[in-house]
Amino acid sequence: MHQKHIKIVEKPKGRRFVISDIHGCSKTFKALVENKIQLTKDDHLFLLGDYIDKGIDSAGVIDYILYLKENGYKVFPLMGNHELNLLEASQEYNERMFRLFLKINKCKGIVDEQLKIKPHYLDFFESLPYYYELEDYHLVHAGFDFRNEKPFQNYKAMLEIRRFQADTELLKGKKIIHGHTPTNLTDIQKNITNNSLVIPLDNGCVYTKPHKVLDYKQLGNLCSLNLDSLELIFQRNFE
């Protein structure tokens, strides 16, 4: 069984970046990494889950992550609820339901003709931890449920919680960086400026058109945070 919690003690020679909720936007992701961040092999890049679904190229996002790792870049991906949903659907749904699931979520390229998750993607999904602990940050997909007796063992909440109140005593001075809930760009920037204990990073990269609930004019960027300088770097979706 792979580790659900990984403590990163190694400090990079370079910088530390976090990106959240790529959701199939492979071109935007690549542009953010190569053109905006200009990632080097001395940097650490943390990814907060939800690589697949919604966007048009889920397979391409994972292919690029695997490419970076195979070429000596230090990339640390986390589990998102969409990855877990796919794993569970592939095991629990009948063929008709699973086909429908793949169609709705636009993640067909992840499976073969027999509707099995392709081996290299399956290995990737099954290797994903639920959170990274750094000396100054907790990195997680959705957040932590501090109402729970053991918030750092409540893995379901780490993928699904929407709102939570940070417990300063349990955090011991560490900040939380999370994604999962699309957040207006001005609110993300406000949390960073205010030096908040909790910083959301999901700007709803896939939401570039009018939406019933969300203010798409405040969304549609893939965001990255430099953990050392707290600089927010973002790339507009151009899929």
Side-chain angles (χ1 to χ4, degrees):
M1 183 65 184
H2 72 278
Q3 290 173 276
K4 290 186 173 178
H5 159 225
I6 296 180
K7 198 165 187 173
I8 307 286
V9 290
E10 176 201 353
K11 289 182 182 175
K13 291 177 186 172
R15 305 156 298 166
R16 300 178 299 165
F17 294 101
V18 183
I19 298 174
S20 180
D21 294 80
I22 303 160
H23 277 304
C25 299
S26 61
K27 291 178 186 173
T28 307
F29 176 40
K30 191 174 182 183
L32 177 60
V33 170
E34 295 184 4
N35 303 336
K36 294 287 183 81
I37 292 174
Q38 298 183 349
L39 190 73
T40 75
K41 293 180 182 179
D42 286 332
D43 299 328
H44 281 185
L45 176 61
F46 297 94
L47 304 171
L48 303 187
D50 281 8
Y51 315 106
I52 63 172
D53 300 353
K54 298 185 182 181
I56 59 171
D57 190 18
S58 292
V61 171
I62 303 172
D63 289 342
Y64 186 57
I65 295 169
L66 295 175
Y67 163 81
L68 289 172
K69 286 170 75 72
E70 286 160 8
N71 283 275
Y73 290 90
K74 295 176 182 70
V75 184
F76 304 86
L78 279 178
M79 178 74 83
N81 60 302
H82 282 259
E83 285 74 51
L84 187 62
N85 289 347
L86 176 63
L87 285 173
E88 291 179 344
S90 71
Q91 293 161 5
E92 296 167 13
Y93 288 7
N94 62 36
E95 184 180 327
R96 188 178 67 82
M97 286 293 292
F98 192 46
R99 278 188 193 279
L100 183 62
F101 174 91
L102 293 170
K103 187 178 180 182
I104 290 168
N105 290 296
K106 303 179 185 172
C107 57
K108 236 179 175 177
I110 301 289
V111 301
D112 62 23
E113 289 174 6
Q114 282 74 47
L115 295 189
K116 300 286 183 194
I117 298 175
K118 293 174 184 175
H120 61 297
Y121 296 140
L122 186 61
D123 289 345
F124 173 75
F125 294 142
E126 290 183 337
S127 73
L128 297 173
Y130 282 69
Y131 79 102
Y132 288 112
E133 183 182 354
L134 282 56
E135 65 171 353
D136 45 357
Y137 291 96
H138 290 288
L139 308 179
V140 66
H141 176 63
F144 299 99
D145 184 359
F146 288 105
R147 298 165 304 175
N148 190 285
E149 276 186 30
K150 296 180 177 177
F152 297 118
Q153 291 175 34
N154 184 353
Y155 299 109
K156 184 179 169 66
M158 292 177 198
L159 299 187
E160 296 181 1
I161 198 166
R162 288 289 178 189
R163 290 178 184 168
F164 62 95
Q165 194 70 39
D167 186 318
T168 49
E169 201 176 315
L170 283 174
L171 286 175
K172 296 175 182 172
K174 297 185 182 188
K175 285 183 169 63
I176 296 171
I177 313 291
H178 73 92
H180 186 54
T181 302
T183 305
N184 288 351
L185 195 59
T186 49
D187 292 329
I188 293 173
Q189 288 169 323
K190 196 187 298 177
N191 277 273
I192 295 167
T193 304
N194 293 343
N195 204 24
S196 299
L197 266 182
V198 178
I199 298 174
L201 210 53
D202 177 12
N203 187 232
C205 181
V206 289
Y207 298 110
T208 56
K209 295 173 183 175
H211 191 276
K212 288 177 188 174
V213 181
L214 303 169
D215 178 6
Y216 78 100
K217 292 176 184 174
Q218 276 279 334
L219 303 172
N221 300 289
L222 187 60
C223 291
S224 174
L225 184 68
N226 181 322
L227 291 178
D228 304 302
S229 67
L230 288 182
E231 179 191 4
L232 184 68
I233 304 161
F234 50 90
Q235 170 66 56
R236 189 76 189 158
N237 181 330
F238 67 96
E239 294 302 310

PDB file of all heavy atoms in Angstrom, residues 88-102:
ATOM      1  N   GLU A  88     -12.622   4.211  -8.489  1.00  0.00           N
ATOM      2  CA  GLU A  88     -13.776   3.513  -7.917  1.00  0.00           C
ATOM      3  C   GLU A  88     -14.788   3.137  -8.987  1.00  0.00           C
ATOM      4  O   GLU A  88     -15.341   2.034  -8.971  1.00  0.00           O
ATOM      5  CB  GLU A  88     -14.419   4.373  -6.829  1.00  0.00           C
ATOM      6  CG  GLU A  88     -13.531   4.491  -5.600  1.00  0.00           C
ATOM      7  CD  GLU A  88     -14.113   5.363  -4.490  1.00  0.00           C
ATOM      8  OE1 GLU A  88     -15.065   6.126  -4.758  1.00  0.00           O
ATOM      9  OE2 GLU A  88     -13.600   5.279  -3.364  1.00  0.00           O
ATOM     10  N   ALA A  89     -15.023   4.039  -9.937  1.00  0.00           N
ATOM     11  CA  ALA A  89     -15.979   3.750 -11.013  1.00  0.00           C
ATOM     12  C   ALA A  89     -15.513   2.572 -11.866  1.00  0.00           C
ATOM     13  O   ALA A  89     -16.315   1.726 -12.278  1.00  0.00           O
ATOM     14  CB  ALA A  89     -16.174   4.988 -11.887  1.00  0.00           C
ATOM     15  N   SER A  90     -14.202   2.510 -12.120  1.00  0.00           N
ATOM     16  CA  SER A  90     -13.667   1.417 -12.956  1.00  0.00           C
ATOM     17  C   SER A  90     -13.846   0.062 -12.282  1.00  0.00           C
ATOM     18  O   SER A  90     -13.953  -0.969 -12.957  1.00  0.00           O
ATOM     19  CB  SER A  90     -12.180   1.657 -13.256  1.00  0.00           C
ATOM     20  OG  SER A  90     -11.391   1.464 -12.096  1.00  0.00           O
ATOM     21  N   GLN A  91     -13.910   0.052 -10.961  1.00  0.00           N
ATOM     22  CA  GLN A  91     -14.055  -1.205 -10.212  1.00  0.00           C
ATOM     23  C   GLN A  91     -15.521  -1.553  -9.932  1.00  0.00           C
ATOM     24  O   GLN A  91     -15.886  -2.727  -9.873  1.00  0.00           O
ATOM     25  CB  GLN A  91     -13.299  -1.098  -8.877  1.00  0.00           C
ATOM     26  CG  GLN A  91     -11.789  -0.996  -9.041  1.00  0.00           C
ATOM     27  CD  GLN A  91     -11.092  -0.436  -7.804  1.00  0.00           C
ATOM     28  OE1 GLN A  91     -11.720  -0.205  -6.784  1.00  0.00           O
ATOM     29  NE2 GLN A  91      -9.796  -0.226  -7.905  1.00  0.00           N
ATOM     30  N   GLU A  92     -16.349  -0.519  -9.781  1.00  0.00           N
ATOM     31  CA  GLU A  92     -17.703  -0.763  -9.271  1.00  0.00           C
ATOM     32  C   GLU A  92     -18.812  -0.665 -10.317  1.00  0.00           C
ATOM     33  O   GLU A  92     -19.874  -1.254 -10.160  1.00  0.00           O
ATOM     34  CB  GLU A  92     -18.000   0.243  -8.141  1.00  0.00           C
ATOM     35  CG  GLU A  92     -17.097   0.059  -6.926  1.00  0.00           C
ATOM     36  CD  GLU A  92     -17.171   1.228  -5.944  1.00  0.00           C
ATOM     37  OE1 GLU A  92     -18.093   2.058  -6.083  1.00  0.00           O
ATOM     38  OE2 GLU A  92     -16.299   1.304  -5.058  1.00  0.00           O
ATOM     39  N   TYR A  93     -18.609   0.070 -11.406  1.00  0.00           N
ATOM     40  CA  TYR A  93     -19.678   0.289 -12.382  1.00  0.00           C
ATOM     41  C   TYR A  93     -19.725  -0.842 -13.401  1.00  0.00           C
ATOM     42  O   TYR A  93     -18.682  -1.416 -13.755  1.00  0.00           O
ATOM     43  CB  TYR A  93     -19.466   1.609 -13.142  1.00  0.00           C
ATOM     44  CG  TYR A  93     -19.714   2.861 -12.332  1.00  0.00           C
ATOM     45  CD1 TYR A  93     -19.973   2.813 -10.963  1.00  0.00           C
ATOM     46  CD2 TYR A  93     -19.687   4.109 -12.939  1.00  0.00           C
ATOM     47  CE1 TYR A  93     -20.201   3.967 -10.232  1.00  0.00           C
ATOM     48  CE2 TYR A  93     -19.906   5.276 -12.221  1.00  0.00           C
ATOM     49  CZ  TYR A  93     -20.159   5.196 -10.853  1.00  0.00           C
ATOM     50  OH  TYR A  93     -20.374   6.348 -10.139  1.00  0.00           O
ATOM     51  N   ASN A  94     -20.926  -1.136 -13.912  1.00  0.00           N
ATOM     52  CA  ASN A  94     -21.012  -2.054 -15.038  1.00  0.00           C
ATOM     53  C   ASN A  94     -20.556  -1.315 -16.301  1.00  0.00           C
ATOM     54  O   ASN A  94     -20.344  -0.099 -16.283  1.00  0.00           O
ATOM     55  CB  ASN A  94     -22.435  -2.635 -15.186  1.00  0.00           C
ATOM     56  CG  ASN A  94     -23.486  -1.567 -15.466  1.00  0.00           C
ATOM     57  OD1 ASN A  94     -23.223  -0.591 -16.167  1.00  0.00           O
ATOM     58  ND2 ASN A  94     -24.678  -1.744 -14.933  1.00  0.00           N
ATOM     59  N   GLU A  95     -20.444  -2.067 -17.401  1.00  0.00           N
ATOM     60  CA  GLU A  95     -19.855  -1.487 -18.620  1.00  0.00           C
ATOM     61  C   GLU A  95     -20.630  -0.264 -19.113  1.00  0.00           C
ATOM     62  O   GLU A  95     -20.046   0.757 -19.462  1.00  0.00           O
ATOM     63  CB  GLU A  95     -19.800  -2.540 -19.734  1.00  0.00           C
ATOM     64  CG  GLU A  95     -19.102  -2.014 -20.974  1.00  0.00           C
ATOM     65  CD  GLU A  95     -19.029  -3.034 -22.106  1.00  0.00           C
ATOM     66  OE1 GLU A  95     -18.918  -4.236 -21.814  1.00  0.00           O
ATOM     67  OE2 GLU A  95     -19.066  -2.593 -23.271  1.00  0.00           O
ATOM     68  N   ARG A  96     -21.952  -0.357 -19.136  1.00  0.00           N
ATOM     69  CA  ARG A  96     -22.766   0.752 -19.642  1.00  0.00           C
ATOM     70  C   ARG A  96     -22.594   2.005 -18.785  1.00  0.00           C
ATOM     71  O   ARG A  96     -22.416   3.110 -19.288  1.00  0.00           O
ATOM     72  CB  ARG A  96     -24.243   0.332 -19.675  1.00  0.00           C
ATOM     73  CG  ARG A  96     -25.151   1.347 -20.371  1.00  0.00           C
ATOM     74  CD  ARG A  96     -26.583   0.862 -20.405  1.00  0.00           C
ATOM     75  NE  ARG A  96     -27.165   0.796 -19.078  1.00  0.00           N
ATOM     76  CZ  ARG A  96     -27.683   1.843 -18.419  1.00  0.00           C
ATOM     77  NH1 ARG A  96     -27.665   3.052 -18.970  1.00  0.00           N
ATOM     78  NH2 ARG A  96     -28.203   1.697 -17.221  1.00  0.00           N
ATOM     79  N   MET A  97     -22.620   1.810 -17.469  1.00  0.00           N
ATOM     80  CA  MET A  97     -22.471   2.937 -16.541  1.00  0.00           C
ATOM     81  C   MET A  97     -21.078   3.558 -16.641  1.00  0.00           C
ATOM     82  O   MET A  97     -20.920   4.778 -16.585  1.00  0.00           O
ATOM     83  CB  MET A  97     -22.732   2.485 -15.106  1.00  0.00           C
ATOM     84  CG  MET A  97     -24.185   2.238 -14.784  1.00  0.00           C
ATOM     85  SD  MET A  97     -25.152   3.761 -14.804  1.00  0.00           S
ATOM     86  CE  MET A  97     -24.484   4.608 -13.377  1.00  0.00           C
ATOM     87  N   PHE A  98     -20.080   2.697 -16.814  1.00  0.00           N
ATOM     88  CA  PHE A  98     -18.704   3.207 -16.878  1.00  0.00           C
ATOM     89  C   PHE A  98     -18.480   3.989 -18.175  1.00  0.00           C
ATOM     90  O   PHE A  98     -17.814   5.027 -18.175  1.00  0.00           O
ATOM     91  CB  PHE A  98     -17.697   2.066 -16.749  1.00  0.00           C
ATOM     92  CG  PHE A  98     -16.272   2.525 -16.528  1.00  0.00           C
ATOM     93  CD1 PHE A  98     -15.979   3.525 -15.601  1.00  0.00           C
ATOM     94  CD2 PHE A  98     -15.226   1.977 -17.250  1.00  0.00           C
ATOM     95  CE1 PHE A  98     -14.667   3.971 -15.398  1.00  0.00           C
ATOM     96  CE2 PHE A  98     -13.922   2.407 -17.062  1.00  0.00           C
ATOM     97  CZ  PHE A  98     -13.650   3.406 -16.134  1.00  0.00           C
ATOM     98  N   ARG A  99     -19.070   3.513 -19.285  1.00  0.00           N
ATOM     99  CA  ARG A  99     -18.977   4.257 -20.557  1.00  0.00           C
ATOM    100  C   ARG A  99     -19.590   5.651 -20.405  1.00  0.00           C
ATOM    101  O   ARG A  99     -19.049   6.640 -20.873  1.00  0.00           O
ATOM    102  CB  ARG A  99     -19.709   3.496 -21.671  1.00  0.00           C
ATOM    103  CG  ARG A  99     -18.910   2.404 -22.300  1.00  0.00           C
ATOM    104  CD  ARG A  99     -19.614   1.825 -23.516  1.00  0.00           C
ATOM    105  NE  ARG A  99     -18.993   0.583 -23.925  1.00  0.00           N
ATOM    106  CZ  ARG A  99     -17.878   0.499 -24.662  1.00  0.00           C
ATOM    107  NH1 ARG A  99     -17.273   1.611 -25.059  1.00  0.00           N
ATOM    108  NH2 ARG A  99     -17.376  -0.668 -24.988  1.00  0.00           N
ATOM    109  N   LEU A 100     -20.731   5.689 -19.741  1.00  0.00           N
ATOM    110  CA  LEU A 100     -21.420   6.959 -19.510  1.00  0.00           C
ATOM    111  C   LEU A 100     -20.573   7.870 -18.630  1.00  0.00           C
ATOM    112  O   LEU A 100     -20.433   9.070 -18.895  1.00  0.00           O
ATOM    113  CB  LEU A 100     -22.784   6.701 -18.864  1.00  0.00           C
ATOM    114  CG  LEU A 100     -23.671   7.929 -18.629  1.00  0.00           C
ATOM    115  CD1 LEU A 100     -24.015   8.611 -19.953  1.00  0.00           C
ATOM    116  CD2 LEU A 100     -24.948   7.534 -17.889  1.00  0.00           C
ATOM    117  N   PHE A 101     -19.982   7.290 -17.590  1.00  0.00           N
ATOM    118  CA  PHE A 101     -19.098   8.039 -16.682  1.00  0.00           C
ATOM    119  C   PHE A 101     -17.943   8.673 -17.464  1.00  0.00           C
ATOM    120  O   PHE A 101     -17.630   9.857 -17.299  1.00  0.00           O
ATOM    121  CB  PHE A 101     -18.564   7.089 -15.599  1.00  0.00           C
ATOM    122  CG  PHE A 101     -17.532   7.690 -14.688  1.00  0.00           C
ATOM    123  CD1 PHE A 101     -17.904   8.318 -13.500  1.00  0.00           C
ATOM    124  CD2 PHE A 101     -16.173   7.629 -14.991  1.00  0.00           C
ATOM    125  CE1 PHE A 101     -16.954   8.885 -12.656  1.00  0.00           C
ATOM    126  CE2 PHE A 101     -15.216   8.186 -14.156  1.00  0.00           C
ATOM    127  CZ  PHE A 101     -15.613   8.814 -12.982  1.00  0.00           C
ATOM    128  N   LEU A 102     -17.312   7.872 -18.336  1.00  0.00           N
ATOM    129  CA  LEU A 102     -16.175   8.363 -19.119  1.00  0.00           C
ATOM    130  C   LEU A 102     -16.591   9.476 -20.079  1.00  0.00           C
ATOM    131  O   LEU A 102     -15.871  10.456 -20.267  1.00  0.00           O
ATOM    132  CB  LEU A 102     -15.551   7.209 -19.912  1.00  0.00           C
ATOM    133  CG  LEU A 102     -14.866   6.114 -19.084  1.00  0.00           C
ATOM    134  CD1 LEU A 102     -14.504   4.930 -19.969  1.00  0.00           C
ATOM    135  CD2 LEU A 102     -13.624   6.642 -18.375  1.00  0.00           C
TER     136      LEU A 102
END
